[in-house]
Amino acid sequence: MQSASEQSEAADRPAPPEHAYPDHWEADVVLRDGGTARIRPITADDAERLVSFYEQVSDESKYYRFFAPYPRLSAKDVHRFTHHDFVDRVGLAATVGGEFIATVRYDRIDDRGMPASRPADEAEVAFLVQDAHQGRGVASALLEHIAAVARERDIRRFAAEVLPANNKMIKVFTDAGYTQKRSFEDGSVRLHLDLEPTDRSLAVQRAREQRAEARSVQRLLTPRSVAVVGAGRAPGGVGRTVLRNLIGAGFSGPVYAVNAALTDSPAELDGVPAHPSVGAIGAPVDLAIVAVPAERVPQAVADCGEHGVRGIVVLSAGYAESGADGRERQRRLVRQARSYGMRIIGPNAFGIINTAADVRLNASLAPQMPAAGRIGLFTQSGAIGIALLAGLHRRGAGLSSFISAGNRADVSGNDFLQHWYDDPGTDVVLLYLESIGNPRKFTRLARRTAAVKPVVVVKGARHSGSAPPGHRVPVTRIPHATVSALLRQAGVIRVDTVTELVDAGLLLAAQPLPAGPRVAILGNSESLGLLTYDACLTEGLRPLRPLDLTTAAEPADFRDALAAALADETSDAVVVTAIPWVGENGATEFGDGEVLAAALREAVASASAPTKPVVVVHVEMGGLAEALAVATSTRPAPPGRDGASPAAARPEATTPDATPSAATRSEAAAGPAAGPATAGPSAARPGSDVPHTSTPSGTGAATRSDLPAGAEETPLAPPAPAAIPAYPAAERAVRALAEAVRYGQWRRQAAEPGRVPEYEDIDEAGAAGLIARVLGDQRADDSDSRGVTLGTDEAGELLARYGVAVRPTLPAPTPDAAVAAAARLGYPVALKTTAPHLRHRPDLGGVRLDLASEEQLRTAYAELTEVLGKPEELQPVVQAMVPRGVDTVVRSAIDPAVGAVLSFGLAGAPSELLGDTAHRLVPATDRDVAELVRSLRTAPLLFGWRGSAPVDTPALEELLLRVSRLVDDHPEVVAVSLEPVVVAPRGLSVLGTTVRLAPPPPRTDLGPRSLPRY
């Protein structure tokens, strides 16, 4: 860091000319404690803010910054620190409520440490953080942003001087993950940081992002106090309803009502203190629920922000869902809330719920608190949220937390994935999404979360072609099926309906993951067993012959058969089918199903190691599903804060008494099923030494380290028997089981991920030079700003730099030119048309193959021009024949929403007519491309179908990897198409190629941490 004398000498130098204000450097960031701050460039208008900020910094921090006592800033200091050229001298500030809480600056220097300009590529950097905000991760966030700014201005290294006693600042630099050198000179630590991002710096950045965003969600879910802003004096209304729900759920902390019309103080509403404003409460408020008309929300947000509220849930409507004026109103709302360091759920939200015993937060419009469980639920729709809550409750399932985010202007599903990733109280994540605001980030987070617990997604608005009103998302050009395939690649369990969402969630929360696709089927109905058998085959499972216990089977027979199936090593899962047994007098033997349920639970409990999932398919078995779910309600409840059972502190959750929506009614028609259990699929998380227990949601549960000194830890209750999910149709049960099988397989493979091979013959620098030259020429010509399609020779040269050889193609505008081309290439040859309407359409007669002589070539040329048109229309070419094989297509394109996608299919009708094309995200690993080739429905054609010779799939996989590397290394390559690629029994031939270059689209998943801009 610079000394005071150095600062004074520098202040005497004339300032370089200033550049335009770089507003793209502005960003909102989430800090380590979950609060937010705004980072922006410092300008000349910030003089008073800088002086005020400096006055609040301790003498010790000032000494660490300037290496000497420096009680106040001189006028020259203030001028220097607020006047920048935004190239050689840059200053950034972190602000909350419009006031500085930290600053960082760099000054470009030469190799002697003196002030310099380009081409010098080193800068000296210095920080100052207000003492009250130290420890919040402000300096780390500022370092990420100032480093990105420096790279943009062609600065490649930072130098910093730090006093040895300033351990906090030394740690900021050393923990950043950049390549660095450290030395001790003249009593100070000298640090040099290479600003080129590394795998470690990216990992550090993402780990900090996860901790900060998870903490910001935790602050919303675990408030110590809540205020409802807009609670009406008369019963009814949104605000009063939320207030009643908070009280009815037994929230563990103080609850306040806020109504601006109140004049009498103190006052009460529903038995809680009521005040005219948040400021009038006179006590800390962590969470505010805002339920006032949209035009009054800014006043409420200002009241909250000025009095230390940490987060708000905006239930009010009238925002982006209502049109252009509403969108602007939503932007102002987000900017206002972030200026105070607050995060927002909503607007137009339904609310949030946390069932943890020591929190019991129902800050939503749901009239009843869901039962505690281990499922985390996120929805973007209040109506679907109501339906899902009702459906899960009816089937005996419990939740750890629930969020209905409405327009999700700030807090989104990505934030909750960050929270649930390491939340010990959540075993399964269920998401209903209508849009994905940051698809690249969502895919990354979903992949990481799916490695430790299931993530089940149903997406609405799949075919509308536009985002739902109120949702701000990038536009995607790829089909919905491609998005689904990419999500599955990331380990996401993709389902099509909310019923399937609940079906899969119940099984995954209640049962262990199957070790494979082998399914045992047993029951007292041969017909129902056969239906289940057929459903298994349809879903790609491997069912064993159904075991028919006959209609005379009694519960003990079911118990013994299930116990035997669980012990049998030839199966990985068991499906039990049951119908009522009707006697001669019309009475059912099993009564209402409770006896059969007890027998099935006994068989599961007696298994030496319950490693197989068990599901039940029942037809008109009254009470069976409810009885199978009884494990949920009999699980020993952990004590609350006061030591009492949580069940005693609240009324038992019941079905909502509101009139159900259409979605709710359709769920009700689906029939009941069982609920969650203590041993879900994330019972043994990779990398965790802590056994999974039946503790409720970790958002509020205490751990051993949380116990006060001298306190005795309450022994954990023995685990309750797992609930067995039941379904009213074989297809639903088997579909849920198949999803569990596929997820289990993905998770086992994810434990040993593939690799991106290195190829020594790749010339990355040469390819970069070619791309730069082509794009530079295009910019000079000021032609199509959207990019340029390479000519045949340039495309072949670029691909050759990555080891992809394209067979030469010679133009044949006349018969004589065709003969000359054939002589050059050697017979036999192919004659093809390249006109756009005939390209890759051999079915239209535009291709002649195996022309072995000049005579045959001239005859074919005459036929083509006679039947299809003149040569200048057909644009014929000649190409040497290649070994026979299977024609395939390899493509890659960059989509603005999901990034670079690698695609593969068989040429012609399979991919174009039937849509049989597989996709993977770039960069693809060796495992990715192996799965890509084998995932086609027509893949048997590559592996010797009906006695044909298998083709060279290793060569095909290598080609896919090389194309993936090209697109990943050079984002300017926005589209590649290799068609056809003829894969022979030995080797392959690329016969046609199209490559398009363009300036790379902006990446939302790289660069310093920041929230979406508003």
Side-chain angles (χ1 to χ4, degrees):
M1 292 188 181
Q2 295 175 325
S3 67
S5 59
E6 290 172 330
Q7 296 283 2
S8 299
E9 291 172 4
D12 293 330
R13 295 194 306 267
E18 293 191 359
H19 292 69
Y21 178 80
D23 57 0
H24 64 287
W25 294 351
E26 296 181 355
D28 294 306
V29 297
V30 183
L31 302 177
R32 183 182 301 157
D33 61 357
T36 66
R38 184 160 186 78
I39 293 176
R40 64 170 179 82
I42 299 174
T43 69
D45 296 333
D46 290 318
E48 292 185 6
R49 292 187 184 89
L50 180 66
V51 172
S52 175
F53 157 73
Y54 194 77
E55 289 174 350
Q56 298 177 62
V57 175
S58 69
D59 291 339
E60 181 183 47
S61 295
K62 294 173 182 176
Y63 185 88
Y64 284 152
R65 168 64 177 84
F66 294 106
F67 293 13
Y70 216 78
R72 62 186 59 84
L73 296 175
S74 67
K76 285 186 177 181
D77 293 331
V78 173
H79 183 274
R80 172 167 173 74
F81 294 154
T82 56
H83 288 70
H84 305 97
D85 61 6
F86 303 125
V87 177
D88 299 327
R89 294 187 296 107
V90 172
L92 300 180
T95 68
V96 173
E99 298 302 320
F100 286 8
I101 64 170
T103 62
V104 63
R105 60 177 290 106
Y106 78 65
D107 291 83
R108 194 189 300 260
I109 57 175
D110 59 20
D111 54 3
R112 297 173 300 155
M114 301 301 292
S117 300
R118 286 188 175 110
D121 61 357
E122 185 172 357
E124 194 157 28
V125 65
F127 293 80
L128 186 60
V129 181
Q130 205 173 89
D131 294 66
H133 294 276
Q134 293 179 9
R136 300 184 65 198
V138 184
S140 298
L142 282 173
L143 177 58
E144 289 179 20
H145 284 261
I146 197 73
V149 168
R151 289 192 295 269
E152 181 181 327
R153 298 311 195 201
D154 298 324
I155 291 173
R156 296 291 173 255
R157 292 179 303 281
F158 272 165
E161 278 191 70
V162 187
L163 288 175
N166 194 356
N167 293 318
K168 291 181 181 179
M169 189 52 61
I170 293 175
K171 186 173 175 60
V172 167
F173 288 116
T174 57
D175 288 354
Y178 296 115
T179 303
Q180 56 187 268
K181 295 180 181 178
R182 184 173 176 179
S183 60
F184 189 79
E185 302 174 9
D186 299 328
S188 64
V189 178
R190 184 78 175 175
L191 294 165
H192 291 269
L193 278 71
D194 186 339
L195 299 183
E196 186 66 26
T198 65
D199 290 342
R200 182 168 178 266
S201 68
L202 184 61
V204 168
Q205 180 177 313
R206 289 179 171 173
R208 288 172 173 167
E209 174 192 65
Q210 189 275 327
R211 288 193 299 269
E213 293 180 358
R215 177 58 182 156
S216 73
V217 169
Q218 189 177 24
R219 284 173 27 141
L220 293 166
L221 286 173
T222 59
R224 292 164 296 183
S225 56
V226 179
V228 180
V229 181
R233 287 179 289 186
V238 173
R240 193 67 177 268
T241 298
V242 175
L243 181 65
R244 184 187 67 231
N245 295 343
L246 271 167
I247 298 168
F251 176 63
S252 58
V255 177
Y256 305 99
V258 175
N259 187 322
L262 291 173
T263 56
D264 300 331
S265 185
E268 284 191 355
L269 287 176
D270 287 334
V272 303
H275 303 273
S277 67
V278 173
I281 292 174
V285 174
D286 286 345
L287 179 67
I289 314 301
V290 178
V292 299
E295 60 270 15
R296 289 170 45 198
V297 169
Q299 178 183 349
V301 172
D303 184 25
C304 293
E306 290 167 2
H307 294 92
V309 174
R310 301 197 297 182
I312 56 177
V313 179
V314 180
L315 307 183
S316 312
Y319 288 88
E321 80 282 358
S322 63
D325 291 342
R327 284 193 293 273
E328 180 56 35
R329 186 181 299 118
Q330 184 166 300
R331 293 188 188 100
R332 291 197 300 268
L333 168 65
V334 174
R335 288 196 294 264
Q336 182 187 18
R338 287 181 179 171
S339 72
Y340 290 108
M342 298 186 297
R343 300 213 67 182
I344 300 175
I345 291 180
N348 196 28
F350 186 75
I352 59 175
I353 295 174
N354 181 3
T355 64
D358 58 349
V359 180
R360 301 205 49 78
L361 173 72
N362 181 9
S364 78
L365 295 170
Q368 298 292 339
M369 183 77 160
R374 310 191 67 79
I375 296 175
L377 175 62
F378 177 92
T379 79
Q380 291 178 352
S381 162
I384 296 297
I386 294 170
L388 287 169
L389 286 174
L392 287 165
H393 168 76
R394 186 170 52 252
R395 298 175 68 173
L399 300 177
S400 61
S401 49
F402 163 79
I403 305 91
S404 181
N407 294 0
R408 56 153 189 73
D410 180 27
V411 176
S412 69
N414 284 346
D415 295 287
F416 279 89
L417 277 178
Q418 300 276 40
H419 166 69
W420 282 322
Y421 165 67
D422 56 6
D423 174 26
T426 301
D427 286 343
V428 179
V429 174
L430 305 184
L431 303 170
Y432 171 78
L433 305 176
E434 292 176 347
S435 63
I436 303 176
N438 188 338
R440 293 178 193 248
K441 183 176 178 179
F442 176 80
T443 302
R444 170 170 58 86
L445 300 185
R447 181 192 293 272
R448 185 190 60 187
T449 304
V452 295
K453 59 187 67 173
V455 177
V456 190
V457 172
V458 61
K459 190 176 183 302
R462 291 175 291 172
H463 306 297
S464 64
S466 62
H471 291 214
R472 180 172 172 267
V473 297
V475 178
T476 180
R477 293 191 295 262
I478 61 178
H480 166 70
T482 305
V483 176
S484 296
L486 299 178
L487 290 178
R488 288 190 179 277
Q489 180 191 354
V492 173
I493 300 172
R494 257 303 267 110
V495 296
D496 293 327
T497 68
V498 291
T499 300
E500 292 177 359
L501 183 74
V502 174
D503 285 347
L506 291 174
L507 188 151
L508 292 164
Q511 297 292 312
L513 289 176
R518 303 170 301 173
V519 181
I521 303 169
L522 62 94
N524 64 345
S525 168
E526 182 180 12
S527 298
L528 189 54
L530 290 175
L531 286 172
T532 304
Y533 183 91
D534 291 342
C536 288
L537 292 176
T538 300
E539 293 293 336
L541 303 179
R542 291 165 50 192
L544 308 181
R545 176 189 287 273
L547 173 61
D548 183 15
L549 302 177
T550 77
T551 56
E554 297 183 354
D557 299 318
F558 276 87
R559 179 196 62 210
D560 296 342
L562 178 56
L566 290 172
D568 186 359
E569 295 183 356
T570 64
S571 66
D572 303 305
V574 183
V575 179
V576 178
T577 64
I579 62 171
W581 180 81
V582 182
E584 293 181 0
N585 60 357
T588 59
E589 180 72 19
F590 297 158
D592 61 0
E594 292 182 359
V595 178
L596 177 58
L600 296 177
R601 289 202 308 272
E602 182 182 350
V604 172
S606 64
S608 57
T611 58
K612 295 181 186 179
V614 177
V615 299
V616 173
V617 177
H618 66 98
V619 177
E620 298 301 329
M621 290 288 293
L624 175 62
E626 293 81 356
L628 287 171
V630 75
T632 301
S633 59
T634 58
R635 182 186 301 129
R641 287 182 177 176
D642 57 359
S645 169
R650 65 178 177 93
E652 189 63 26
T654 59
T655 304
D657 53 11
T659 302
S661 64
T664 310
R665 290 193 293 271
S666 65
E667 279 282 313
T678 56
S682 59
R685 285 183 51 188
S688 173
D689 297 326
V690 182
H692 191 77
T693 70
S694 58
T695 313
S697 173
T699 52
T703 63
R704 178 185 295 269
S705 61
D706 295 325
L707 294 173
E712 295 185 4
E713 183 177 10
T714 304
L716 290 174
I724 302 174
Y727 304 85
E731 295 78 11
R732 287 176 56 182
V734 171
R735 192 175 297 119
L737 182 60
E739 294 292 0
V741 169
R742 287 188 283 267
Y743 170 68
Q745 180 182 11
W746 178 90
R747 184 134 151 204
R748 288 188 292 274
Q749 293 175 346
E752 298 179 4
R755 63 184 184 89
V756 178
E758 294 289 340
Y759 295 108
E760 294 183 358
D761 59 342
I762 285 180
D763 181 7
E764 185 175 346
L770 172 61
I771 292 168
R773 184 179 74 249
V774 172
L775 288 179
D777 293 343
Q778 185 240 354
R779 282 192 292 268
D781 294 341
D782 196 24
S783 55
D784 187 358
S785 61
R786 294 171 298 178
V788 58
T789 299
L790 296 183
T792 301
D793 293 341
E794 288 177 325
E797 180 184 353
L798 177 61
L799 289 166
R801 305 263 185 194
Y802 273 73
V804 177
V806 181
R807 291 279 180 165
T809 301
L810 302 181
T814 66
D816 290 341
V819 170
R824 178 179 171 185
L825 296 173
Y827 289 99
V829 296
L831 178 66
K832 303 188 295 185
T833 63
T834 60
H837 66 288
L838 296 173
R839 189 175 177 83
H840 306 311
R841 291 297 306 275
D843 55 308
L844 298 182
V847 179
R848 297 291 190 273
L849 302 176
D850 289 316
L851 304 176
S853 66
E854 177 180 342
E855 179 182 1
Q856 292 181 6
L857 177 58
R858 289 185 180 276
T859 301
Y861 199 101
E863 291 175 352
L864 281 181
T865 54
E866 179 180 354
V867 174
L868 298 177
K870 298 178 181 180
E872 52 268 25
E873 297 173 353
L874 302 182
Q875 303 171 29
V877 297
V878 174
Q879 198 168 43
M881 289 296 297
V882 299
R884 297 278 185 175
V886 178
D887 289 2
T888 65
V889 180
V890 174
R891 293 192 178 100
S892 182
I894 294 183
D895 184 86
V898 299
V901 178
L902 181 68
S903 304
F904 171 72
L906 268 59
S911 59
E912 296 176 12
L913 180 62
L914 303 178
D916 188 18
T917 305
H919 313 273
R920 291 295 184 271
L921 290 172
V922 170
T925 66
D926 52 358
R927 173 170 289 169
D928 289 333
V929 298
E931 294 173 353
L932 185 68
V933 169
R934 290 158 180 79
S935 61
L936 297 176
R937 297 194 299 276
T938 48
L941 294 173
L942 301 170
F943 294 94
W945 186 66
R946 288 191 171 182
S948 61
V951 301
D952 193 348
T953 50
L956 176 59
E957 291 169 9
E958 181 178 332
L959 173 67
L960 289 163
L961 287 167
R962 288 178 179 273
V963 172
S964 172
R965 278 286 309 275
L966 170 65
V967 176
D968 188 49
D969 291 345
H970 306 283
E972 300 89 351
V973 182
V974 295
V976 175
S977 177
L978 309 183
E979 183 179 5
V981 176
V982 182
V983 190
R986 294 188 61 183
L988 56 78
S989 302
V990 179
L991 302 186
T993 179
T994 302
V995 178
R996 185 165 183 79
L997 304 181
R1003 292 288 300 270
T1004 57
D1005 59 331
L1006 298 177
R1009 290 173 286 156
S1010 65
L1011 292 168
R1013 296 192 68 181
Y1014 266 93

